Amino acid sequence: MPIGDVALAVAKAIEFEGEVVFNTTKADGQFKKTASNKKLRGLRPDYQFTTMEEGVQKAEDWFLENYETARK
């Protein structure tokens, strides 16, 4: 998933209503992607991954519920 999509998922989760602006003068990604879930999928073919959007929303919900203790 491109980092821009992650940024938009975070903006949506926190109900950001402003404009998300991307700095297009910088590199648009990493040179090498080394992460793979191939081994996990082979060992656990029935494993259900959480979507990035759902994971970001769950993290935001948790943070809001635990703000007072999470920030200390």
Side-chain angles (χ1 to χ4, degrees):
M1 171 177 271
I3 191 67
D5 291 349
V6 176
L8 294 173
V10 171
K12 180 179 177 184
I14 65 170
E15 298 177 4
F16 178 71
E17 295 180 4
E19 179 183 2
V20 177
V21 179
F22 296 98
N23 184 348
T24 58
T25 66
K26 304 295 182 189
D28 64 351
Q30 61 186 1
F31 294 112
K32 182 178 176 186
K33 295 183 179 184
T34 58
S36 172
N37 62 13
K38 183 177 179 181
K39 184 175 182 180
L40 174 60
R41 288 190 180 274
L43 295 171
R44 304 281 309 271
D46 296 334
Y47 184 82
Q48 295 294 313
F49 286 89
T50 301
T51 66
M52 178 64 71
E53 293 82 5
E54 183 181 353
V56 168
Q57 187 63 60
K58 284 183 177 183
E60 170 63 13
D61 292 344
W62 179 91
F63 182 77
L64 290 176
E65 290 172 14
N66 297 280
Y67 180 81
E68 291 302 319
T69 56
R71 297 294 297 170
K72 295 184 181 202

